[in-house]
Amino acid sequence: MDKVIKNDDEWRAELSAEEYRVLRQAGTERPFTGEYVDTKTVGVYSCRACGAELFRSEAKFESHCGWPSFYEPSESDAVTLHRDDSLGMSRVEVRCARCDSHLGHVFHGEGYPTPTDDRFCINSVCLTLEPAAG
């Protein structure tokens, strides 16, 4: 996978203000406001910043947390995980492996009935959904 490396000016020119705030400054969109929170469309979710495939609809599930939730990325190397001790808590940040953009956080062991017991809690503004042909 070819890495995508751009400076802040290049990212600002390509992304909306909200996309830049979340993807490049590790912001968060408000819960239950994102485009893909309740989407059931079959397809592939890609990084809005670089287009890399991140998640597939088959791994999306209803977590009722306010953000799209997936139990696994589409490929094991599609995302990278990083310790995040901001906001007075310890979490695991999820970033796009190709462009290092912030996507959200992953939580483990919450008891969801999924194959992995992981919840990749991802901001809609970080994703682009390509519906499956059919």
Side-chain angles (χ1 to χ4, degrees), residues 6-7 13-14 29 34 40 43 53 87 94 112 116 122 124 126:
K6 298 180 183 183
N7 66 39
E14 292 180 20
E29 63 192 357
K40 306 228 183 319
E53 181 179 319
L87 304 177
V94 180
Y112 287 102
T116 63
I122 307 298
S124 288
C126 299

Side-chain angles (χ1 to χ4, degrees), residues 14 23-25 37 41 50 68 73 91 99:
E14 292 180 20
L23 287 157
R24 304 309 305 168
Q25 297 179 316
V37 173
T41 303
C50 74
R91 300 178 291 173
C99 71

